[in-house]
Amino acid sequence: MTTIKDVAKKAGVSIATVSRVINGNTNVRAQTRENVTKAIEELNYTPSAIAQGLQKKVTKTIGVIFPDASSYYFAEIIRGINRYLQKHAYQVVVSSSHDAEDEAKTFFSLVNGRQVDGVILMMPSIHNAEVINSHIRDLPAVLLNTEINTPESVTLVIDNYQGAYEATIHLVEHGHTKIGFIHGSRNNYDSEERYRGYLNALAEAGIAPDKDLETRGKFIENSGFEAARALMEQENRPTAIFAANDAMAIGAIEAAKRLSLDIPNDVAIVGFDDISTARFISPSLTTVNVPVLKIGQLAGEYLLKQLRGEAKEERDQIAVVPVNFVRRESCGCPPNHHTDGQPN
Amino acid sequence: MTTIKDVAKKAGVSIATVSRVINGNTNVRAQTRENVTKAIEELNYTPSAIAQGLQKKVTKTIGVIFPDASSYYFAEIIRGINRYLQKHAYQVVVSSSHDAEDEAKTFFSLVNGRQVDGVILMMPSIHNAEVINSHIRDLPAVLLNTEINTPESVTLVIDNYQGAYEATIHLVEHGHTKIGFIHGSRNNYDSEERYRGYLNALAEAGIAPDKDLETRGKFIENSGFEAARALMEQENRPTAIFAANDAMAIGAIEAAKRLSLDIPNDVAIVGFDDISTARFISPSLTTVNVPVLKIGQLAGEYLLKQLRGEAKEERDQIAVVPVNFVRRESCGCPPNHHTDGQPN
DNA sequence: TTGAAAGCGCTAACAG
DNA sequence: CTGTTAGCGCTTTCAA
């Protein structure tokens, strides 16, 4: 293992000088710098990030904590985070967890071990958020999709409410009055917010909410299939269904097909997320596009801002990412293969 | 920040003793141990992993390098890796990259910076694999889905050949003789192996391969759509198509629908991977199930084995993960909703 | 069973 | 411009 000493010896200088050129310090004679650089290259030397970290108190790595669930959504966000942070010379350590307890444990070992300079937390479960949030203390953090916020951290949420509102109103405009809703997992922030948008749209349209038209899934296709089937096998079935995410909406489409119901004529279906399958399934799924990759990037940006100690403006404390309603076939709109856009 | 000194002072012992109880050393009087433990708890102390790492030469973190592509496949593997490694007290730092150059750079800073004890490399591009592989040296490594192998590292591949062979034979059994193939990205190991299986199956069935029935996509739906369209708009179009992965197969299904071709009567379609959509799309997609989560876990296991210095048996040097052909509707088999199984 | 001290690889004053 | 030196927080001999 080649160390700074080896380089110093080879270049005929002190380790301090080597350190200077490594860190781009200007107080080094051009010739000396060159010698050192050459030695570094010849020895194929890279400074030990560990040793640097111990000394500088920064590790140039940030932790990302997210639920251990198979999800396009999380995967893409992490990709966005990673892409941005990597560009800015940060490493990303990911850490998933199944339950709240586990989550807290992981979190502590990461944070207390001074292994990370900051964290990005994805905790869709409202409860988890509180648990961890109370322990963030002074660590730079970005919280994703929770309603929790502290003076120390910034929270990033997508405009669930607005997206759900628009989607529901659109269904109303298609003439529907019996609009079903498939909830996501219990206590999930996104699901609740989408439900809120749905309810308000109904209210605004003068439609009384009907608990019989509501059911709950777990954000996966399977559960959407079952939930939709239950909804549609009722006597008084909905003529439209708004699912809290695309995976469940796709399950609902499949359920409708199994029941030989035509989409959108017998039942219109709308989702949320705009996963790539949405555009390819038949009928194509009307949904709300969430800029997942961008969310990851934003999370990275906000965290770096905090790390740099840049003053957070009041309005930055909690940022809302706009979403985009996209009409396809499953709501009853005519097919339009030109405006579908490209995947990220 | 509370350090080992604080604990020592509080417990009235030396830092050496504190270190001993932290590391579970037995040479500590019960009473002393208790005092120290109490001090640790009261101060809510966690040893600095950084400092420990500098001293012990291990970081308890492993690096995972993979292509920066939106993919169910990679995401799930990473999830599997993370799940396993976390259970064994290892952190996972992920690092994606768009091009080979970038990849190599990231890799070096991670490895040379002594930030990781080992790496798991996913390099579907055959070229990339060589570049990096030549630099692995003595670092414990697990290579996924490449044909490269060194005495130092273990390679984990899925049985692409067998899966593709079975899928193609199945199409032949359905009576097809004009079976098209949609390649994945150029130089991709998985794609090439699946092609090999396809070719051999054809040969065995006494069917001459026809270059006009081959085309190339990029493993994403979009490209599968275009590739399939090109294939099917030909004079002498295939009556069956085998796509190198599910995403492209799904694009192909969509293309067939646009051309008003019935699946499977006008054209049968088979994919590879068994992503969750495969089971829900209509018609459901016949494909080859790849145990992604398990692959991640295996990768973790193999790496840990190396880390522990456990003797690798010869046959472990390159491990082949079996895959599973699953018949659904798109190949012409009757629907069977009971054997679909559950998603992971 | 415990403590003193050296040192992991590096940075950052402080001198010169 | 460059070298010396004192740590960063921890583990690990070596003595006691």
Side-chain angles (χ1 to χ4, degrees):
Chain A
M1 194 175 51
T2 112
T3 76
I4 199 173
K5 275 189 187 167
D6 302 319
V7 177
K9 188 174 298 175
K10 176 136 196 162
V13 296
S14 75
I15 61 169
T17 300
V18 177
S19 176
R20 283 184 191 107
V21 351
I22 289 170
N23 294 285
N25 195 313
T26 49
N27 304 328
V28 181
R29 192 157 51 99
Q31 182 55 250
T32 310
R33 173 182 303 280
E34 198 175 301
N35 294 157
V36 173
T37 308
K38 206 170 115 245
I40 287 175
E41 271 170 14
E42 280 173 10
L43 294 172
N44 193 17
Y45 165 77
T46 314
S48 157
I50 295 293
Q52 285 182 320
L54 181 58
Q55 176 64 241
K56 296 212 235 189
K57 304 288 181 223
V58 300
T59 58
K60 280 284 188 180
T61 104
I62 76 103
V64 175
I65 298 180
F66 62 100
D68 178 14
S70 175
S71 153
Y72 159 83
Y73 199 81
F74 296 133
E76 283 299 277
I77 290 183
I78 292 172
R79 195 158 75 93
I81 292 174
N82 195 53
R83 189 184 275 190
Y84 180 82
L85 254 20
Q86 210 162 288
K87 207 179 303 173
H88 293 263
Y90 275 80
Q91 306 287 354
V92 174
V93 359
V94 298
S95 172
S96 62
S97 49
H98 221 80
D99 48 63
E101 223 178 304
D102 187 33
E103 195 153 62
K105 226 179 77 191
T106 318
F107 174 78
F108 283 127
S109 74
L110 218 55
V111 171
N112 293 336
R114 311 354 164 243
Q115 302 194 70
V116 296
D117 298 341
V119 290
I120 294 176
L121 301 174
M122 279 182 263
M123 298 160 305
S125 160
I126 292 168
H127 178 63
N128 271 8
E130 286 179 24
V131 172
I132 291 199
N133 193 67
S134 65
H135 293 287
I136 289 191
R137 300 162 204 265
D138 54 342
L139 187 78
V142 170
L143 309 181
L144 291 181
N145 294 3
T146 82
E147 55 185 358
I148 309 294
N149 185 244
T150 55
E152 301 304 330
S153 52
V154 2
T155 298
L156 196 58
V157 297
I158 64 176
D159 204 342
N160 288 303
Y161 174 84
Q162 180 65 19
Y165 174 85
E166 279 182 41
T168 309
I169 286 291
H170 183 72
L171 252 14
V172 169
E173 285 168 356
H174 270 296
H176 296 283
T177 54
K178 293 193 297 187
I179 304 174
F181 184 80
I182 303 180
H183 291 263
S185 314
R186 207 172 289 279
N187 286 328
N188 179 283
Y189 173 74
D190 295 310
S191 179
E192 308 261 295
E193 285 293 291
R194 288 166 196 180
Y195 180 53
R196 205 164 62 80
Y198 158 83
L199 280 187
N200 273 23
L202 287 189
E204 196 155 300
I207 300 173
D210 179 352
K211 279 286 176 191
D212 288 346
L213 299 184
E214 288 179 31
T215 177
R216 185 177 295 279
K218 296 179 175 199
F219 281 136
I220 57 180
E221 281 161 349
N222 251 347
S223 67
F225 181 91
E226 296 303 342
R229 183 159 65 181
L231 237 33
M232 293 185 296
E233 278 176 344
Q234 294 178 104
E235 187 79 1
N236 193 19
R237 65 170 182 76
T239 60
I241 294 179
F242 175 34
N245 80 342
D246 279 0
M248 294 194 297
I250 285 166
I253 286 178
E254 197 55 27
K257 286 179 183 167
R258 289 270 197 274
L259 296 174
S260 299
L261 293 177
D262 180 72
I263 305 169
N265 294 323
D266 294 331
V267 59
I269 294 176
V270 173
F272 207 115
D273 280 353
D274 198 13
I275 66 180
S276 64
T277 307
R279 154 191 308 117
F280 285 98
I281 198 171
S282 180
S284 57
L285 180 67
T286 292
T287 185
V288 178
N289 178 275
V290 177
V292 244
L293 214 51
K294 187 179 174 189
I295 289 172
Q297 175 185 327
L298 278 177
E301 280 181 20
Y302 279 114
L303 193 59
L304 253 47
K305 258 189 208 161
Q306 283 185 67
L307 252 20
R308 294 200 213 93
E310 282 173 27
K312 289 175 301 202
E313 299 173 31
E314 197 58 37
R315 62 176 167 74
D316 277 354
Q317 277 296 97
I318 176 156
V320 178
V321 181
V323 295
N324 218 294
F325 183 62
V326 358
R327 296 152 201 233
R328 297 209 182 90
E329 297 163 11
S330 68
C331 63
C333 282
N336 178 348
H337 302 307
H338 298 296
T339 57
D340 268 5
Q342 296 292 313
N344 314 293
Chain B
M1 196 175 55
T2 111
T3 76
I4 199 174
K5 275 189 188 168
D6 302 319
V7 178
K9 186 175 300 175
K10 176 134 195 165
V13 297
S14 74
I15 61 170
T17 299
V18 176
S19 176
R20 283 182 191 111
V21 349
I22 289 170
N23 294 286
N25 194 311
T26 49
N27 304 327
V28 182
R29 191 159 49 101
Q31 182 55 249
T32 310
R33 173 181 302 280
E34 197 175 303
N35 293 157
V36 172
T37 307
K38 205 170 116 244
I40 287 176
E41 271 172 14
E42 279 173 11
L43 293 172
N44 194 16
Y45 165 78
T46 315
S48 157
I50 296 292
Q52 285 183 320
L54 181 58
Q55 177 66 240
K56 295 210 231 186
K57 304 290 183 219
V58 300
T59 59
K60 280 285 190 177
T61 104
I62 78 100
V64 175
I65 298 181
F66 62 100
D68 178 14
S70 176
S71 152
Y72 159 83
Y73 200 80
F74 296 133
E76 283 299 279
I77 290 183
I78 292 172
R79 196 159 75 93
I81 293 174
N82 195 53
R83 189 183 275 189
Y84 181 82
L85 253 20
Q86 210 164 288
K87 207 178 302 176
H88 292 262
Y90 275 80
Q91 304 288 355
V92 174
V93 358
V94 298
S95 172
S96 64
S97 48
H98 220 81
D99 48 63
E101 223 178 304
D102 186 34
E103 196 153 60
K105 227 179 75 190
T106 317
F107 174 79
F108 284 126
S109 72
L110 219 54
V111 172
N112 293 336
R114 336 289 190 279
Q115 300 194 73
V116 296
D117 298 340
V119 291
I120 293 174
L121 300 173
M122 279 180 259
M123 297 162 307
S125 159
I126 292 167
H127 178 64
N128 269 10
E130 286 180 23
V131 172
I132 291 198
N133 194 66
S134 65
H135 294 287
I136 288 192
R137 300 164 203 265
D138 54 342
L139 187 78
V142 170
L143 308 180
L144 291 182
N145 293 3
T146 83
E147 56 186 356
I148 310 293
N149 185 242
T150 55
E152 301 303 331
S153 50
V154 2
T155 298
L156 195 57
V157 297
I158 63 176
D159 204 341
N160 288 302
Y161 174 84
Q162 179 66 19
Y165 174 85
E166 281 183 40
T168 309
I169 286 291
H170 184 72
L171 253 11
V172 169
E173 286 169 353
H174 270 295
H176 296 281
T177 55
K178 293 194 297 188
I179 303 174
F181 184 79
I182 303 180
H183 289 264
S185 314
R186 205 173 290 278
N187 288 326
N188 179 284
Y189 173 75
D190 295 310
S191 179
E192 310 259 296
E193 284 295 290
R194 288 166 197 182
Y195 181 53
R196 204 164 62 79
Y198 158 83
L199 281 187
N200 273 24
L202 288 190
E204 195 153 303
I207 300 173
D210 179 351
K211 279 287 177 192
D212 289 345
L213 298 184
E214 288 180 29
T215 176
R216 185 177 294 281
K218 299 180 173 194
F219 281 135
I220 57 179
E221 281 161 350
N222 253 346
S223 68
F225 181 91
E226 297 302 342
R229 184 158 65 183
L231 237 34
M232 294 185 294
E233 279 174 345
Q234 293 178 108
E235 189 77 1
N236 194 18
R237 64 171 183 76
T239 61
I241 294 179
F242 175 34
N245 80 343
D246 280 359
M248 295 194 297
I250 285 166
I253 285 179
E254 197 55 25
K257 285 180 184 168
R258 289 269 199 272
L259 295 173
S260 299
L261 292 176
D262 179 74
I263 307 168
N265 295 323
D266 294 330
V267 59
I269 293 177
V270 173
F272 207 114
D273 279 355
D274 197 15
I275 66 180
S276 63
T277 308
R279 158 189 305 120
F280 285 99
I281 198 169
S282 178
S284 55
L285 181 67
T286 292
T287 185
V288 179
N289 179 275
V290 177
V292 245
L293 214 50
K294 185 180 177 189
I295 289 172
Q297 176 186 327
L298 278 177
E301 280 180 20
Y302 279 114
L303 193 60
L304 251 46
K305 258 187 209 162
Q306 283 186 68
L307 252 21
R308 292 201 214 92
E310 283 173 25
K312 287 176 301 202
E313 299 173 33
E314 197 58 35
R315 61 177 167 75
D316 277 353
Q317 275 296 96
I318 175 155
V320 178
V321 180
V323 296
N324 218 295
F325 182 62
V326 359
R327 296 151 201 232
R328 296 209 183 91
E329 297 163 10
S330 67
C331 63
C333 282
N336 179 348
H337 302 306
H338 298 296
T339 58
D340 269 5
Q342 295 293 313
N344 315 290

